[in-house]
Amino acid sequence: MEPTSNSHQDKIDRFNEGIRERNPAEYEFHQAVQEFTESVMPFSLEHPKYADSHILERMTEPDRIIIFRVCWENDEGQVCCNRAWRVQFSNAIGPYKGGLRFHPNVSQSILKFLGFEQSFKNALTGLPMGGAKGGSNFDPKGKSDREVMRFCQALMVELSRHIGEDTDIPAGDIGVGAREMGYLFGQYKHLQNRFNGSLTGKGITFGGSLVRTEATGYGVVYFSQHMLARQVDSLKGKTALVSGAGNVALYCAEKLISEGVKVLTLSDSSGFIHDPDGIDVNKLNWIKHLKLMRRGRVSEYAEQYPNAHFYPDQRPWAIAADLAFPCATQNEIDEASANQLIENGIMLVAEGANMPSTPTAIRIFRDAKILFGPSKAANAGGVSVSGLEQSQNAVRLAWTRDEVDLRLQQIMKHIHSQCEQYGLDQNQHIDYSRGANIAGFVKVADAMLAYGIT
Ligand code: NDP
């Protein structure tokens, strides 16, 4: 990264102090804004049309946040109460768009960080989508299908007032997969008496797009291929660490395996498995069945495949490999893990999850000059195919698998070239974080300027 001048750094520090004061205890949101402003604020100061219009101040304030109570009945007939949010961050370049997360640690801070990031990620895709995020502190783990159904239906009673195909289009995220989407869309359709593209990630038989399930994981791999190709290198024959065992991780691993990569690890919140023989297609299908059908734990893999080892309560970053794909959750690679990865000779880290690397970890990757694909760019494939799902719904057509996959590949290539446009330094090295942040910023900021003061 270009050195930041002292006066710019003072302004960045003062700006972030203001963010912390106005948004107390929202640590994840502070972290996301800090990371963004480190690269965008110097650019904004060098382009007075942005600085004079206080664009950064305006774009760090969400358009609105809706908070609501969700009451539902469990299988024992007890009344349960959860809190839910929809953070509609920015509709500068299109209707609000972003996933719903169900996890006990969901908070306003986490949803604000995700909604903020989503606005710039969506801008990078080249599709007309604004940024939003939502969810609840409801934990689907250990709940019966009927309990999940009752919760989703209760949540949609309120959420349906705030969404629509031209207003806000939610999708899935952690804890919201095919099952939850079915219940959510079924209830939306029932309440509104409208069958439209107001939610994405729907089942294929009721308006979903082919390749949406795979899109985030595949997209991370396509993005990594572009990073490597620039170094006249490829994925073939390399080893990889993947964390998570959900939607993003499983399809990231699937595409890696098909490209000739030996995938060594997967994880969930109870620990990680290391298979020194590599997780091949058959083993991956076994895990898919375990996680998606039986809703089991990755520890069972080590019982099924005795050469593998399960490490409880640990993350996979101490295992030596060429490539790392954090695909579980935020802040899963800290300073110690980043140092360990570098010591072990990692050459590429591509973020499938949102903000999985802490700011210190990112600094370590940047200083070591390894290839680092930030989430805003690397995991934009999911929302891209969500955008394509909206297009198909709008014209009442379903494109083929190859057609959607090809468009996804083109979008990931386009995102890579925008990172190159804004992130290239004088040594011809691309700082992908800086490139993604500035490219996303310019698109959203120019639209805001066009609207005048709103
Ligand atoms: P899933 O719910 O399908 O899977 C999440 C995986 O991560 C599970 O294996 C889960 O383990 C693990 N995990 C969740 N929380 C933690 C935690 N606190 N510590 C350790 N492991 C954890 O979610 P997705 O795969 O959809 O999402 C994963 C990441 O990718 C998130 O950051 C999400 O925002 C991001 N993302 C997702 C997109 C999508 O299209 N789905 C699009 C772009 C980004 P367990 O089952 O034990 O909880």
Side-chain angles (χ1 to χ4, degrees), residues 101 141 173-175 212 216 245-248 268-269 297 328 353-354:
R101 178 177 289 194
K141 233 178 270 157
D173 191 76
I174 290 179
R212 173 60 188 93
T216 310
N247 172 269
V248 181
D268 62 20
S269 53
R297 315 301 300 156
N354 282 311

Side-chain angles (χ1 to χ4, degrees), residues 54-72:
H54 290 246
I55 289 289
L56 267 173
E57 286 81 346
R58 290 156 62 188
M59 62 170 51
T60 46
E61 206 57 62
D63 288 354
R64 72 188 62 78
I65 302 177
I66 301 141
I67 310 181
F68 54 101
R69 183 183 66 225
V70 182
C71 294
W72 54 285

Side-chain angles (χ1 to χ4, degrees), residues 211 222 400-411:
V211 195
Y222 295 148
T400 64
R401 189 178 168 80
D402 285 349
E403 196 169 350
V404 179
D405 194 24
L406 185 64
R407 284 177 193 259
L408 170 62
Q409 291 179 41
Q410 288 166 342
I411 290 171

Side-chain angles (χ1 to χ4, degrees), residues 168-188:
D168 183 355
I169 305 101
D173 191 76
I174 290 179
V176 180
R179 173 183 62 172
E180 291 75 16
M181 259 312 147
Y183 296 145
L184 289 165
F185 184 66
Q187 181 75 333
Y188 175 81

Side-chain angles (χ1 to χ4, degrees), residues 66-116:
I66 301 141
I67 310 181
F68 54 101
R69 183 183 66 225
V70 182
C71 294
W72 54 285
E73 197 175 80
N74 70 14
D75 288 345
E76 283 72 49
Q78 292 157 337
V79 177
C80 304
C81 186
N82 286 91
R83 184 177 293 174
W85 293 260
R86 186 70 181 164
V87 178
Q88 295 182 331
F89 221 105
S90 164
N91 67 354
I93 61 165
Y96 303 109
K97 176 100 198 84
L100 294 172
R101 178 177 289 194
F102 294 168
H103 192 278
N105 77 3
V106 162
S107 63
Q108 184 161 302
S109 169
I110 287 183
L111 297 176
K112 277 173 73 177
F113 117 65
L114 289 163
F116 178 71

Side-chain angles (χ1 to χ4, degrees), residues 101-103 105 113-114 118 121 133 139 141 171-177 212-213 215-217 243-250 267-271 291-292 296-298 315 326-330 332 351-356 375 379-383 386:
R101 178 177 289 194
F102 294 168
H103 192 278
N105 77 3
F113 117 65
L114 289 163
Q118 194 81 47
K121 178 188 310 191
K133 202 80 187 189
D139 187 359
K141 233 178 270 157
D173 191 76
I174 290 179
V176 180
R212 173 60 188 93
T213 308
T216 310
S243 67
N247 172 269
V248 181
L250 292 174
S267 71
D268 62 20
S269 53
S270 54
K291 296 303 285 186
L292 304 175
R297 315 301 300 156
V298 288
R315 294 183 164 140
C327 295
T329 193
Q330 62 272 0
E332 54 171 314
E351 297 186 324
N354 282 311
M355 206 168 76
S375 50
N379 75 20
V383 74
S386 274

